[in-house]
Amino acid sequence: MFLELDKYKNRDSFEFGIEDSLDKVCNAPKDHGGVYLIYDITKAVNLIYIGSTGWVYQDGSFGLREDGMYDRIVNGKQSFVINAIR
């Protein structure tokens, strides 16, 4: 469905609906950061949000939220995700 993701080594997806609990369906990694895309697929495929988590320090090392990308999606952006699909 999302061919642009094929070029990335680590990738996954999950579907989230009005009746779902985001913390139950989210399969984002807790030990990695990166970029994530949120699509509305209710009527057509529409990209509605591009987010990222983690940071690169000046020495090239990588910083990460305590629970990685999972935390950013579930605890940081859940109101946006829920409102976007309504």
Side-chain angles (χ1 to χ4, degrees):
M1 177 181 205
F2 306 110
L3 296 176
E4 67 271 13
L5 300 178
D6 288 344
K7 63 184 173 183
Y8 295 98
K9 182 178 177 181
N10 296 319
R11 63 185 184 277
D12 208 341
S13 66
F14 65 90
E15 292 188 18
F16 172 71
I18 296 288
E19 302 297 321
D20 293 325
S21 173
L22 184 55
D23 64 329
K24 300 281 191 262
V25 297
C26 181
N27 62 0
K30 293 183 178 181
D31 59 347
H32 288 85
V35 175
Y36 55 94
L37 309 173
I38 298 176
Y39 290 91
D40 175 2
I41 59 171
T42 54
K43 296 184 176 122
V45 177
N46 294 308
L47 177 64
I48 57 174
Y49 189 79
I50 300 172
S52 65
T53 185
W55 51 92
V56 179
Y57 292 109
Q58 288 184 346
D59 67 0
S61 63
F62 190 74
L64 183 63
R65 290 175 70 104
E66 185 174 330
D67 281 327
M69 190 179 293
Y70 175 90
D71 183 54
R72 177 72 170 157
I73 294 170
V74 173
N75 296 315
K77 291 295 177 184
Q78 76 275 21
S79 62
F80 175 82
V81 173
I82 292 167
N83 290 327
I85 64 171
R86 290 181 191 219

